[in-house]
Amino acid sequence: MITVIGSLKGGSGKSTVTFNLAVWLAMADVKVQLIDIDPQATLTDVGDVRMEEGFDPPLKVLDKSALTPERLAAADETLIDVGTSDMEAMRRALQYCDRVVVPVPPSQADIWSTQRYIHLIASAERAKAPTVFGFINRGDTHHAVRETDEAAAALVSLPGIKFIKARLGQRTVFRRSFSEGLAVFELEPRGKAAKEFLSLAAALYPYLVS
Ligand SMILES: Nc1ncnc2c1ncn2[C@@H]1O[C@H](COP(=O)(O)OP(=O)(O)O)[C@@H](O)[C@H]1O
Ligand SMILES: [Mg+2]
């Protein structure tokens, strides 16, 4: 399956989620390939950190030249991390993928931009549009704050997107994940971020867990 992790906004957590999912899939012995089509190349950088540190399994990250049907067919699971500064590559990825996963921070602006992104995906030149999934990333971890639930409710009601209940909170270990080249469930296996992330992974890859 070919999964694009995308959104129209920087900082929503695309590279973070892609990297953590990649480690998880590799640990599940899935033949996974990673394609970084964001010129910022965050995923490539974190893959390099992981490789330099010698962590197992290593992750090899391909560039946009791998966006060909032959190359995409070379793995069981492909994850494509997209940015918005290369719209041509984004459109190409949207043409080939089976689904798009959108991390949505809990703000009105992010709900609006998700709506625009759904329209952009629907306008991709292909017979059948890919399925779009959305989940809340960087959710508020204080119960008193309602914004996150309100954003989740707004996301549920957006046409054209399937809502995933599993939610990632705003947690510092996600930042460490990048700097150390380790997934959050490797860094803090018993932490809340790990628990939340593993629920998300199970929701996205149910066939691997049951
Ligand atoms: N759930 C989270 N909690 C805390 N920090 C996060 C979370 N998700 C992402 N971040 C941090 O936010 C920044 C932007 O994330 P990134 O994955 O690079 O976004 P994108 O790829 O969409 O631009 C990074 O420093 C990352 O560590
Ligand atoms: Mg990124």
Side-chain angles (χ1 to χ4, degrees), residues 18 33 45-46 85 99 117 144 164 168 172 177-178 182 185:
T18 309
Q33 77 181 346
D45 287 340
V46 69
S85 47
R99 62 178 181 175
Y117 192 45
I164 295 179
L168 305 183
T172 48
S177 172
F178 267 179
L182 288 167
F185 51 87

Side-chain angles (χ1 to χ4, degrees), residues 34-99:
L34 298 178
I35 306 178
D36 186 359
I37 60 170
D38 185 350
Q40 280 190 44
T42 312
L43 187 66
T44 309
D45 287 340
V46 69
D48 287 349
V49 171
R50 189 174 175 89
M51 202 85 88
E52 281 156 19
E53 295 292 331
F55 297 134
D56 200 47
L59 297 179
K60 187 169 179 285
V61 184
L62 308 169
D63 65 21
K64 67 178 180 182
S65 66
L67 280 182
T68 64
E70 302 75 38
R71 196 64 212 236
L72 289 168
D76 297 327
E77 294 293 346
T78 300
L79 298 176
I80 310 177
D81 182 14
V82 308
T84 45
S85 47
D86 188 346
M87 287 304 274
E88 208 280 315
M90 155 107 81
R91 281 182 198 281
R92 206 139 36 97
L94 290 176
Q95 247 167 37
Y96 293 128
C97 69
D98 300 299
R99 62 178 181 175

Side-chain angles (χ1 to χ4, degrees), residues 63-163:
D63 65 21
K64 67 178 180 182
S65 66
L67 280 182
T68 64
E70 302 75 38
R71 196 64 212 236
L72 289 168
D76 297 327
E77 294 293 346
T78 300
L79 298 176
I80 310 177
D81 182 14
V82 308
T84 45
S85 47
D86 188 346
M87 287 304 274
E88 208 280 315
M90 155 107 81
R91 281 182 198 281
R92 206 139 36 97
L94 290 176
Q95 247 167 37
Y96 293 128
C97 69
D98 300 299
R99 62 178 181 175
V100 183
V101 175
V102 189
V104 185
S107 79
Q108 185 59 58
D110 286 284
I111 297 293
W112 283 330
S113 97
T114 301
Q115 207 163 10
R116 282 186 199 282
Y117 192 45
I118 294 167
H119 289 146
L120 181 110
I121 296 165
S123 71
E125 282 169 36
R126 48 186 285 172
K128 188 174 167 290
T131 313
V132 185
F133 295 92
F135 69 94
I136 296 287
N137 183 32
R138 316 189 74 148
D140 211 288
T141 50
H142 298 283
H143 289 300
V145 181
R146 286 248 188 81
E147 264 111 343
T148 302
D149 284 346
E150 286 168 9
L155 194 55
V156 166
S157 71
L158 279 191
I161 193 165
K162 285 185 197 282
F163 178 71

